[in-house]
Amino acid sequence: MAIVKYSSIRPLTNLYSHVNMPPLTRKRFYLLPMSDGHAAPPQHTPPRNENRTVIMISNILAIVGFLILIVIIIWGLLHIASLSSGAFSGIFKTQKSSTVSVSAPASSVSGQPVKISWNYSTNDTGRYAFLYECTPGLDFGAPVMQPGTTTVSLVRIPCGASFTLGNATSSIILVPVLSTTTPKTAQMTIIFMASSNSTQAHGTAKMTVNPGMAPVATSTTPSPKPEREPSPTPTPSPSPEPTPRPTGPADLKVSILSISTDPSGFSTAVFDISNIGNSSTGTYYFTATLPTAQPYTFYSQPQASLTPGSHIVNTLRFSQTVNGVFSVVVDPQNMVPEANEGNNSISQPVYYAGYNPSIPYQTY
């Protein structure tokens, strides 16, 4: 270890030094970052007026964009409501009532005419049609007078298909026909079809159809009668033997009675189906080819059996008529054994040059 001696060091007392110093002047001093890595705290500059203007414009644009979005949503809802016929249309607009008021007897008897009336107020011109729901064992017929005679025949109205009522505007006479021994409930609909557009209105009514009442046999206690002397018994004359009924298969025959077309393109075809054979036909079907803008084939419901010598008149109405051929084929599948299959079809040309595509296609 070294030992330092201080004996050679003199104290600096009474030692003066004259140094020429420049005069003191005012200088600025700045704080610089320290060498130990600690920085001075940042200074906050107050926002300028330009920043406030930009923020205000941004807020205004955001509010305007939000209002435009609300307007677009409301317009979309209104547009959807105008195109819809469901719940939205009931919220945003009130539609005109399209209900036909239909009245019918609460009950009726099979084979007895009934009056069905209705009430509907409209400024449109059009036609009314009758429609009833298919019920097993229940049919409706319309009484029609044969041209040139006083004979009234019953034209069967097929179920599930609209039957045009011609010039009827408030009521129609129909005949319910029941083929069972139990009552049936018929649901009937009256439809109004405007000629100028596809607007339709309808109304329904129900009616119970009861089977026809059979005569009730009554018995009375006979009053005593005075005894009479027996008269001689006459000798019976021999009665002629009944002529045997001819036997053989059925024979369906179809014939067209009339075809008419009005200026609007609505056509009415009337044709007769008869059984000229010697046996009942049983259930049968028929088809009809219609001269319409779009080719259409009508397929009938199962038809009731025709006994020998009986016939039925059918009416078929359709729209959008064009020039063509109307044809009917009875028993197209040859399900009925017949003596002659050559008289099961018939056709007739139809001429109409006033086809109007704006009228919707309809079949009754």
Side-chain angles (χ1 to χ4, degrees):
M1 179 176 182
I3 300 173
V4 179
K5 294 182 180 181
Y6 295 95
S7 59
S8 59
I9 299 175
R10 293 181 298 176
L12 297 178
T13 57
N14 298 324
L15 180 64
Y16 299 94
S17 176
H18 298 275
V19 181
N20 294 325
M21 300 290 292
L24 296 176
T25 60
R26 296 183 61 183
K27 294 186 178 180
R28 294 182 181 180
F29 298 89
Y30 299 92
L31 294 177
L32 299 178
M34 305 297 293
S35 60
D36 59 357
H38 296 284
Q43 296 182 358
H44 296 282
T45 304
R48 299 180 179 179
N49 293 334
E50 291 81 358
N51 294 337
R52 295 180 180 178
T53 303
V54 172
I55 294 174
M56 183 179 298
I57 293 176
S58 300
N59 293 337
I60 294 175
L61 292 177
I63 294 174
V64 172
F66 182 72
L67 293 177
I68 292 175
L69 180 61
I70 293 177
V71 172
I72 292 175
I73 293 175
I74 295 176
W75 178 86
L77 293 176
L78 292 175
H79 187 64
I80 293 174
S82 64
L83 298 178
S84 173
S85 59
F88 287 107
S89 61
I91 296 175
F92 293 100
K93 63 179 182 180
T94 302
Q95 294 184 350
K96 183 180 178 181
S97 175
S98 59
T99 302
V100 179
S101 177
V102 183
S103 60
S107 62
S108 62
V109 178
S110 174
Q112 300 296 325
V114 295
K115 181 180 181 181
I116 300 173
S117 57
W118 61 89
N119 183 22
Y120 179 64
S121 299
T122 180
N123 296 327
D124 298 330
T125 58
R127 296 186 178 187
Y128 290 93
F130 172 77
L131 172 70
Y132 69 99
E133 188 178 33
C134 292
T135 303
L138 177 63
D139 291 305
F140 276 87
V144 177
M145 181 175 293
Q146 296 295 332
T149 66
T150 58
T151 304
V152 177
S153 62
L154 194 64
V155 178
R156 178 182 176 273
I157 302 175
C159 66
S162 300
F163 180 78
T164 304
L165 301 180
N167 297 326
T169 58
S170 60
S171 63
I172 187 69
I173 301 295
L174 298 176
V175 179
V177 179
L178 196 63
S179 59
T180 63
T181 57
T182 57
K184 299 289 184 178
T185 300
Q187 181 167 339
M188 304 165 295
T189 303
I190 298 295
I191 305 172
F192 174 76
M193 298 170 293
S195 301
S196 58
N197 50 50
S198 59
T199 301
Q200 290 189 357
H202 67 276
T204 59
K206 292 185 177 181
M207 180 179 66
T208 302
V209 181
N210 299 303
M213 299 298 293
V216 180
T218 58
S219 62
T220 58
T221 304
S223 58
K225 295 183 180 180
E227 296 182 359
R228 297 168 56 183
E229 295 181 359
S231 57
T233 302
T235 302
S237 59
S239 58
E241 294 183 359
T243 304
R245 185 174 181 179
T247 60
D251 189 2
L252 286 169
K253 178 183 177 182
V254 59
S255 58
I256 296 177
L257 302 180
S258 65
I259 299 177
S260 60
T261 305
D262 64 11
S264 300
F266 287 91
S267 295
T268 302
V270 182
F271 53 94
D272 179 86
I273 299 176
S274 59
N275 179 13
I276 60 176
N278 296 322
S279 300
S280 296
T281 62
T283 302
Y284 67 95
Y285 300 82
F286 70 86
T287 62
T289 303
L290 310 180
T292 56
Q294 297 179 354
Y296 181 81
T297 301
F298 174 83
Y299 296 89
S300 73
Q301 298 288 331
Q303 304 296 300
S305 177
L306 293 177
T307 58
S310 62
H311 72 100
I312 184 172
V313 177
N314 299 272
T315 302
L316 193 61
R317 294 177 172 86
F318 53 92
S319 62
Q320 294 189 1
T321 305
V322 297
N323 290 337
V325 177
F326 173 82
S327 61
V328 180
V329 179
V330 182
D331 190 27
Q333 302 296 331
N334 292 329
M335 299 174 61
V336 179
E338 299 184 61
N340 181 13
E341 299 284 352
N343 55 2
N344 286 13
S345 62
I346 193 171
S347 60
Q348 180 175 321
V350 177
Y351 302 99
Y352 178 70
Y355 165 60
N356 185 358
S358 63
I359 299 177
Y361 177 73
Q362 297 170 344
T363 304
Y364 320 112

